[in-house]
Amino acid sequence: MRQEWFDTARFGMFVHFGVYSIAARHEWVQSYERLSDDEYRQYFDHFEPDRFDARALARRAKETGMSYVVLTAKHHDGFCLFDSALTEFTAQHACGRDLVREYVDALRAEGLRVGLYYSLIDWHHPDFTVDWNHPRRDDAHAPALNQDREMARYREYLHRQVRELLTGYGAIDYLFFDFTYPEHREGWAGKGPEDWDAAALLRLCRQLQPDMLVNDRLGIPADLVTPEQYQPTSPLVVDGVPQVWEACQTLNGSWGYHRDNTDQKSPTLLVQMLADSVSMDGNMLLNVGPDGRGALAPRDVRTLDEIGEWMLLHRDAIVGAGHTDFTPPREGVYTRRGNRLYLHLFTWPLGFVHLPALAGRVAFARLLNDGSWLRTSVTDPGQQASHMTPAGEADGTLTVHLPVRRPDVLMPVIELTLN
């Protein structure tokens, strides 16, 4: 199956980079601030990514424990990191570099899967009609702007650019389209699958790259679903069919570089989110937004370093792992890989952790960070509590004995070898 590698990978890096990185105030800055093409042009004219090092970025992803990367080949502003023959609004024209070429070569050298993000939206294209996301929506005569715009011409451009991406860079493992929004708002129509001719676009993807994964944001079913900026609370199922899914998450709430956004998630929270996703048979795609020169911010590097240290010791509990029907204790979540059950402890209990329905099912228990053995026991359910003795646990409960001092890792993991 085309998603077999994806189901095993579990952890990927999202990279949002473009001329908006120079603006340094969110990748939607053109829309949020209603910037005209002339006002936005300064960022294109000064796009000089001298510190964008695709090889270093690929190594960073691998060292963080990630198995694939997704790069924004084109975002909503229409700026392309690849050398498109269909527009001059590209990195090739701005700085003389095809950054997608550098990126795919670097990922392949590190043995990582290659993903590309491509926006269906294009605020730069003269035929892309004004809607409720468009930067020109509040112009004095905004509705009149659509009189000479023709979505059919834009749709042809869209399909031709996707063809460029899927024929010019070798095998692509994952194409992340973004996004469909058919709702009407503020007197404007949105855009749905018919605006992209989504069915034909998906057929084109299947024809050119039959082994490539495609996400759900064309507005029609494809290979996986992509919840963004929230964590599901159970495995995703539609009409009884389990869904392949990936939680897309940011480090600080912004995808593109946002210099003044310091609402940074802690490394501990991020590894908990990662384990939570895997426990429900999902992946996590964690975003970084390089700065205007193409480098990762020091605060992001520190976070990735800490996650990488944790993944080095706990990789087996994430990569190749997935959901189990065993009910975890209140302190954390389970992931499972073969006959190994992994308890990710979000909180560290005093002395013991009690595991329902695992009595007689576990041959060996250890802390994963250092491989140290943990004693297990089963108590009589009828044991009466006293001032020094706890009450017995429910029938079938396995008790794991813990050291008082929590291991010095972002999140402790207990590995249980099942009989």
Side-chain angles (χ1 to χ4, degrees):
M1 295 185 294
R2 68 169 60 93
Q3 82 268 9
E4 185 174 353
W5 71 264
F6 185 85
D7 293 340
T8 299
R10 292 307 185 198
F11 193 20
M13 176 184 281
F14 216 169
V15 182
H16 274 67
F17 184 56
V19 293
Y20 49 77
S21 305
I22 299 171
R25 52 191 192 275
H26 205 283
E27 76 285 351
W28 276 66
V29 59
Q30 186 179 13
S31 176
Y32 288 169
E33 299 182 14
R34 280 49 167 187
L35 301 178
S36 68
D37 285 344
D38 288 343
E39 291 170 320
Y40 200 65
R41 180 76 188 190
Q42 62 182 320
Y43 305 123
F44 174 87
D45 291 340
H46 293 87
F47 185 68
E48 300 172 359
D50 61 309
R51 298 192 67 204
F52 183 87
D53 184 340
R55 290 173 296 181
L57 191 64
R59 288 194 298 270
R60 170 67 61 183
K62 191 171 185 177
E63 290 166 358
T64 308
M66 296 156 166
S67 302
Y68 63 106
V69 185
V70 178
L71 173 69
T72 51
K74 187 197 84 170
H75 208 269
H76 307 333
D77 59 2
F79 179 72
C80 301
L81 296 186
F82 61 101
D83 184 16
S84 174
L86 305 176
T87 179
E88 294 186 353
F89 200 48
T90 67
Q92 188 69 48
H93 282 84
C95 66
R97 294 169 64 183
D98 184 336
L99 300 183
V100 168
R101 175 73 63 198
E102 297 175 21
Y103 158 81
V104 296
D105 289 347
L107 258 63
R108 290 180 184 131
E110 292 295 334
L112 299 174
R113 294 283 182 164
V114 177
L116 293 173
Y117 167 109
Y118 182 86
S119 173
L120 301 164
I121 302 168
D122 193 324
W123 299 322
H124 183 76
H125 196 280
D127 281 311
F128 187 84
T129 53
V130 177
D131 56 33
W132 50 267
N133 278 319
H134 199 283
R136 305 293 300 277
R137 62 191 179 275
D138 290 336
D139 285 13
H141 304 290
L145 294 173
N146 283 339
Q147 290 178 359
D148 296 323
R149 296 179 183 233
E150 179 53 64
M151 277 298 290
R153 288 194 295 264
Y154 172 69
R155 191 158 47 245
E156 180 183 1
Y157 171 85
L158 165 66
H159 286 228
R160 289 174 66 193
Q161 270 208 330
V162 170
R163 180 179 290 274
E164 284 184 320
L165 277 175
L166 299 187
T167 57
Y169 297 92
I172 305 301
D173 298 297
Y174 179 17
L175 186 56
F176 190 115
F177 283 115
D178 198 26
F179 67 101
T180 299
Y181 49 108
E183 305 86 1
H184 283 65
R185 290 187 187 178
E186 303 167 9
W188 293 102
K191 289 184 171 66
E194 65 282 356
D195 291 292
W196 328 123
D197 195 354
L201 192 52
L202 184 58
R203 284 196 301 271
L204 179 67
C205 292
R206 299 299 194 215
Q207 173 195 344
L208 298 177
Q209 299 268 359
D211 295 326
M212 179 181 72
L213 290 172
V214 179
N215 72 346
D216 60 330
R217 298 193 180 192
L218 286 170
I220 59 176
D223 298 311
L224 69 148
V225 297
T226 52
E228 179 176 329
Q229 299 283 46
Y230 72 91
Q231 286 294 110
T233 55
S234 62
L236 299 188
V237 177
V238 176
D239 297 329
V241 179
Q243 301 295 294
V244 179
W245 66 273
E246 170 187 70
C248 311
Q249 302 289 359
T250 56
L251 289 172
N252 67 351
S254 178
W255 300 97
Y257 180 61
H258 196 322
R259 181 192 60 211
D260 301 327
N261 182 342
T262 58
D263 193 14
Q264 202 85 351
K265 299 180 182 70
S266 72
T268 297
L269 175 60
L270 289 167
V271 297
Q272 289 177 348
M273 291 164 60
L274 172 60
D276 190 43
S277 296
V278 178
S279 78
M280 295 179 287
D281 267 343
N283 289 18
M284 188 167 86
L285 187 64
L286 180 61
N287 182 75
V288 295
D291 65 22
R293 295 179 63 185
L296 297 183
R299 64 190 180 188
D300 296 348
V301 170
R302 289 191 293 268
T303 295
L304 295 178
D305 280 345
E306 290 196 53
I307 295 174
E309 290 177 11
W310 184 86
M311 281 292 292
L312 183 66
L313 299 174
H314 301 90
R315 179 181 178 86
D316 287 349
I318 298 295
V319 178
H323 178 67
T324 178
D325 289 332
F326 287 116
T327 300
R330 62 183 182 179
E331 290 87 356
V333 299
Y334 283 137
T335 62
R336 182 172 179 173
R337 186 174 54 83
N339 72 332
R340 304 298 173 95
L341 187 65
Y342 299 95
L343 173 58
H344 302 254
L345 286 167
F346 292 180
T347 60
W348 187 253
L350 174 61
F352 310 96
V353 62
H354 305 288
L355 312 182
L358 286 184
R361 303 290 301 273
V362 173
F364 193 78
R366 66 172 184 162
L367 284 168
L368 193 55
N369 61 290
D370 64 357
S372 58
W373 171 79
L374 294 171
R375 186 163 72 91
T376 60
S377 64
V378 177
T379 60
D380 179 358
Q383 179 174 291
Q384 297 298 308
S386 70
H387 63 289
M388 293 291 288
T389 303
E393 296 295 324
D395 190 34
T397 299
L398 179 72
T399 296
V400 180
H401 298 244
L402 302 176
V404 171
R405 188 173 181 85
R406 179 187 184 277
D408 188 19
V409 293
L410 294 178
M411 178 179 63
V413 177
I414 297 173
E415 181 188 72
L416 304 160
T417 302
L418 300 176
N419 291 326

